[in-house]
């Protein structure tokens, strides 16, 4: 959810509410329509007045209602920054409203469409965004100095020029470095290198990322191609959450001006050097990136370009828009709804799986929420499953529909909503702290008494893999087993998780961060 945006802006000019009222008399009728008490809210911040609001044709001027008290101009401008250049702003603080003018009508349409699906929030408060009846925002700049000062600074950052240096109006230093230092607070869900690339590439070309842990906090250094892009990202993202109510971004400029990346793996990445080794003796010929190169599947941030529908971080709530994923390039001879449930269930509670009738190498997977869908996508996209590289993307669907009774004769759709095998249905479960990317080493638990190493080695070998290493924990109820490849580990997990060992013992299998 959107937190207070801390962007080092200091304003000395104060404008009274009476002055704001004088600035925009033409908008009084429009504002009076919505000044009554709020009615019932829906998920996207709209209310029962929505039918009347939707009658307004598209305009590059947007009307923002139900803003929290004491909201700053910077926080309102931040709502529009990802979608294009913000050219004007008018704050009506006594009414908890504002008008925001974007550079083009296309950018405004993109912004409205995006926030129709994702609830816009300011200081954890849902706000409502609609087209204004006005095609242009005309304000008296002499009376609107506070807002204009902030707007001037933001425009300077977007244009790459130097903002005003008048210390009485604004203190916004030029970007000192293309490298940002990122700290993740309240890290309830894992944050991967690929997730960071996806989020920050909205603001420009991400060249390099290095992740590490310091003082028990996950941190990252991220280098843009241009310092201006780094400042845009810092201005918009500092203080925001990657996922709902957690994984808060704390962003500062690094003293470094260039990062030296030696390996392309899950800890570091140089997107300009795909030939770098992974650090384990192999060449990095595999596409480790969730989104490919910075110029790949998701468009970079640009004027009027805005966020695509695949955004993982939203201004309004920090969650991706859908809990439904599309998995493609599957081995249709091998995959089943059950095997897909088992694999994706490592990262979230899968509710439904549908293998597409006319395209059986593709499937829709519905998880409990968007956070779990993001985790599954970031960890499983690009993994090799049954000899084929699986692609995982967000689906345009909000749910997976079940077929009418008797019509699914090929058993391509299955409802898992009542499954006892959900790993995350219990709040605070330890499983939340044991979510790792696919690896060749598997963690086994709930091993039955009397089952030995040879038994487990034979079981996993019979599933089509080769066991490279094995280690029992002291209580012999848990063990690590290492296969020769990640692909083999994925295949054996899909086949042997919940394997009935007799005596009411079902084997639990998950990916491990350890090696043997």
């Amino acid at each position: 959810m959107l937190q207070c945006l801390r962007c080092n802006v200091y304003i000395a000019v104060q404008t009274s509410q009476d002055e704001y009222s004088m600035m925009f008399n033409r908008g009084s009728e429009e504002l009076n329509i919505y000044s009554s008490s709020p009615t019932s809210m829906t998920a996207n911040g709209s209310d029962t007045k929505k039918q009347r609001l939707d009658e307004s044709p598209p305009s590059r001027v947007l009307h923002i209602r139900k803003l929290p008290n004491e909201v700053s101009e910077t926080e309102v401008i931040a709502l529009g920054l990802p979608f294009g250049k913000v050219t004007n702003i008018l704050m009506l603080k006594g009414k908890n409203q504002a008008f925001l003018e974007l550079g083009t009508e296309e950018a405004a349409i993109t912004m409205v469409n995006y926030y129709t699906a994702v609830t816009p929030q300011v200081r954890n408060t849902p706000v409502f965004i609609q087209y204004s009846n006005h095609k242009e925002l005309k304000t008296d700049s002499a009376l609107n100095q506070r807002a204009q000062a902030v707007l001037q600074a933001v425009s300077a950052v977007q244009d790459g020029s130097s903002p005003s240096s008048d210390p009485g109006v604004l203190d916004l230093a030029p970007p000192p470095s293309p490298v940002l230092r990122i700290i993740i607070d309240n890290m309830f869900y894992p944050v991967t290198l690929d997730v960071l690339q996806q989020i920050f590439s909205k603001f420009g070309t991400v060249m390099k990322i290095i992740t590490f842990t310091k003082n028990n906090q996950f941190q990252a250094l991220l280098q843009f191609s241009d310092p201006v892009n780094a400042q845009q990202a810092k201005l918009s993202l500092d203080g925001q959450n990657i996922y709902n109510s957690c994984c808060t971004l704390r962003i500062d400029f690094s003293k470094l001006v260039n990062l030296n990346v030696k390996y392309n793996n899950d800890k570091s990445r140089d997107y300009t050097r795909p030939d770098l080794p992974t650090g384990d003796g192999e060449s990095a010929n595999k596409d480790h990136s969730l989104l490919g190169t910075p110029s790949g599947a998701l468009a970079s941030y640009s004027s009027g370009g805005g966020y695509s529908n695949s955004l993982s971080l939203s201004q309004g709530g920090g969650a991706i828009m859908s809990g439904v994923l599309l998995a493609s390039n599957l081995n249709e001879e091998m995959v089943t709804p059950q095997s897909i449930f088992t694999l994706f269930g490592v990262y979230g509670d899968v509710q439904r799986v549908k293998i597409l009738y006319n395209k059986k190498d593709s499937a829709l997977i519905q998880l409990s929420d968007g956070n779990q869908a993001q985790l599954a996508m970031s960890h499983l996209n690009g993994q090799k499953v049954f000899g084929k590289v699986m692609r995982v993307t967000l689906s345009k669907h909000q749910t997976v529909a079940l077929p009418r009774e008797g019509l699914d004769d090929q058993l391509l759709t299955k409802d898992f909503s009542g499954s006892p095998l959900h790993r995350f249905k219990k709040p605070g479960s330890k499983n939340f702290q044991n979510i790792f990317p696919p690896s060749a080493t598997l963690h086994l638990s709930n091993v039955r008494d009397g089952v030995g190493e040879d038994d487990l080695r034979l079981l996993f070998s019979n599933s089509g893999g080769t066991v490279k290493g094995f280690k029992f924990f002291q209580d012999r109820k848990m063990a690590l087993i290492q296969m020769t490849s990640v692909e083999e580990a994925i295949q054996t997990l899909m086949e042997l998780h919940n394997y009935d060992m007799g005596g009411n013992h079902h084997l639990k299998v998950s990916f491990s961060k350890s090696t043997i």
Side-chain angles (χ1 to χ4, degrees):
M1 296 183 183
L2 184 64
Q3 308 294 323
C4 181
L5 199 62
R6 312 186 311 272
C7 59
N8 300 325
V9 177
Y10 304 94
I11 308 292
V13 180
Q14 296 292 329
T15 307
S16 69
Q17 182 60 44
D18 290 336
E19 291 173 330
Y20 278 109
S21 300
M22 294 168 57
M23 280 188 275
F24 202 40
N25 292 330
R26 289 199 308 154
S28 59
E29 290 182 8
E30 181 173 340
L31 293 170
N32 288 336
I33 293 175
Y34 315 116
S35 60
S36 59
S37 60
T39 55
S40 60
M41 299 287 291
T42 62
N44 63 358
S46 63
D47 52 36
T48 54
K49 302 165 188 168
K50 188 171 187 290
Q51 291 82 1
R52 187 169 186 175
L53 306 180
D54 287 343
E55 295 174 1
S56 299
S59 166
R60 66 190 184 101
V61 179
L62 300 178
H63 181 205
I64 305 172
R65 301 188 295 115
K66 299 181 180 176
L67 289 164
N69 294 329
E70 306 302 325
V71 67
S72 69
E73 288 86 352
T74 305
E75 291 171 279
V76 176
I77 291 172
L79 288 170
L81 270 182
F83 305 94
K85 186 177 179 63
V86 177
T87 53
N88 208 348
I89 181 175
L90 174 65
M91 301 288 290
L92 298 165
K93 293 189 176 180
K95 296 179 180 291
N96 298 94
Q97 301 179 17
F99 288 86
L100 198 67
E101 180 185 273
L102 277 75
T104 65
E105 188 174 292
E106 290 75 16
I109 292 172
T110 302
M111 179 173 169
V112 170
N113 288 343
Y114 180 73
Y115 286 133
T116 298
V118 177
T119 308
Q121 299 202 14
V122 177
R123 298 191 181 188
N124 296 331
T125 300
V127 299
F128 188 81
I129 300 175
Q130 66 184 90
Y131 297 117
S132 168
N133 290 331
H134 303 278
K135 296 298 182 184
E136 184 180 0
L137 188 58
K138 294 183 178 180
T139 59
D140 187 333
S141 58
L143 297 176
N144 197 23
Q145 293 182 37
R146 177 188 176 97
Q148 292 301 315
V150 177
L151 191 62
Q152 177 189 2
V154 173
S155 297
V157 172
Q158 286 184 310
D159 294 338
S161 57
S162 298
S164 168
S165 58
D166 183 353
V169 177
L170 194 65
D171 180 11
L172 185 65
S177 168
V179 179
L180 296 175
R181 182 172 69 98
I182 303 160
I183 297 175
I184 310 293
D185 285 341
N186 192 23
M187 192 166 152
F188 185 74
Y189 286 100
V191 176
T192 66
L193 182 149
D194 292 318
V195 168
L196 291 175
Q197 194 269 349
Q198 181 184 18
I199 295 168
F200 282 83
S201 65
K202 291 289 166 287
F203 299 88
T205 301
V206 175
M207 300 181 69
K208 304 172 184 178
I209 305 176
I210 297 174
T211 63
F212 55 96
T213 300
K214 183 178 181 180
N215 299 327
N216 293 322
Q217 280 188 309
F218 179 86
Q219 301 189 26
L221 295 171
L222 184 146
Q223 181 177 339
F224 280 100
S225 60
D226 192 309
V228 170
N229 300 139
Q231 188 157 17
Q232 287 176 331
K234 181 180 184 298
L235 181 67
S236 288
L237 299 178
D238 184 30
Q240 293 199 38
N241 292 347
I242 297 176
Y243 303 119
N244 283 334
S245 305
C246 67
C247 299
T248 307
L249 292 164
R250 306 298 182 194
I251 304 173
D252 288 304
F253 287 106
S254 171
K255 295 179 181 179
L256 301 172
V257 294
N258 185 55
L259 298 180
N260 182 24
V261 176
K262 296 181 179 180
Y263 305 114
N264 282 343
N265 52 36
D266 60 349
K267 301 294 184 185
S268 62
R269 195 78 51 81
D270 185 340
Y271 294 97
T272 68
R273 293 281 312 278
D275 58 315
L276 287 178
T278 61
D280 56 5
E282 298 179 6
S283 175
N285 55 2
K286 175 185 173 183
D287 179 12
H288 290 272
S289 174
L290 168 65
L291 303 172
T293 62
S295 59
L298 292 182
S300 294
Y301 172 89
S302 62
S303 179
Y307 283 132
S308 84
N309 288 337
S310 299
L311 180 66
S312 68
L313 176 93
S314 74
Q315 295 270 357
I320 58 177
M321 294 186 296
S322 169
V324 179
L325 299 173
L326 173 65
S328 58
N329 200 41
L330 302 173
N331 186 329
E332 59 185 273
E333 301 297 325
M334 300 296 293
V335 297
T336 64
Q338 182 66 48
S339 64
I340 293 173
F341 165 80
T342 301
L343 178 57
F344 282 77
V346 174
Y347 301 105
D349 291 337
V350 176
Q351 304 298 307
R352 295 175 179 176
V353 176
K354 178 192 287 288
I355 295 176
L356 303 187
Y357 182 80
N358 293 322
K359 191 171 174 54
K360 292 187 175 63
D361 69 344
S362 300
L364 293 172
I365 304 104
Q366 179 181 337
L367 290 101
S368 291
D369 58 45
N371 296 336
Q372 294 181 0
Q374 173 66 61
L375 283 174
M377 181 174 70
S378 64
H379 286 309
L380 294 177
N381 180 61
Q383 294 294 339
K384 203 169 185 180
V385 182
F386 294 122
K388 300 184 71 173
V389 176
M390 178 174 64
R391 298 301 177 194
V392 183
T393 59
L394 292 173
S395 169
K396 63 182 180 181
H397 299 282
Q398 298 300 310
T399 60
V400 172
L402 293 175
R404 283 180 292 178
E405 189 173 355
L407 294 183
D408 187 18
D409 56 350
Q410 297 187 38
L411 303 178
L412 299 177
T413 305
K414 190 165 183 179
D415 186 358
F416 294 96
S417 57
S419 173
L421 299 181
H422 287 156
R423 298 177 187 245
F424 308 102
K425 61 183 177 182
K426 185 184 295 185
S429 167
K430 289 184 179 180
N431 290 332
F432 284 108
Q433 280 74 52
N434 293 292
I435 300 174
F436 303 111
S439 63
T441 304
L442 298 170
H443 180 273
L444 313 182
S445 61
N446 205 34
V447 177
R448 183 183 176 184
D449 290 341
V451 174
E453 177 178 339
D454 290 342
D455 300 315
L456 290 170
R457 279 180 174 269
L458 180 61
L459 177 65
F460 278 76
S461 297
N462 288 340
S463 295
T466 302
V467 176
K468 188 177 177 182
F470 184 91
K471 178 183 177 182
F472 258 127
F473 286 74
Q474 189 171 1
D475 61 3
R476 298 182 69 85
K477 295 184 183 299
M478 295 188 293
L480 295 176
I481 190 165
Q482 187 171 340
M483 312 303 291
T484 56
S485 68
V486 175
E487 182 184 3
E488 282 189 5
I490 289 174
Q491 183 174 324
T492 51
L493 180 144
M494 294 168 76
E495 185 170 339
L496 295 177
H497 176 63
N498 200 47
Y499 178 81
D500 188 354
M501 304 186 74
N504 200 29
H505 278 72
H506 288 79
L507 185 66
K508 306 303 180 187
V509 185
S510 58
F511 297 114
S512 174
K513 65 178 180 179
S514 304
T515 57
I516 301 174

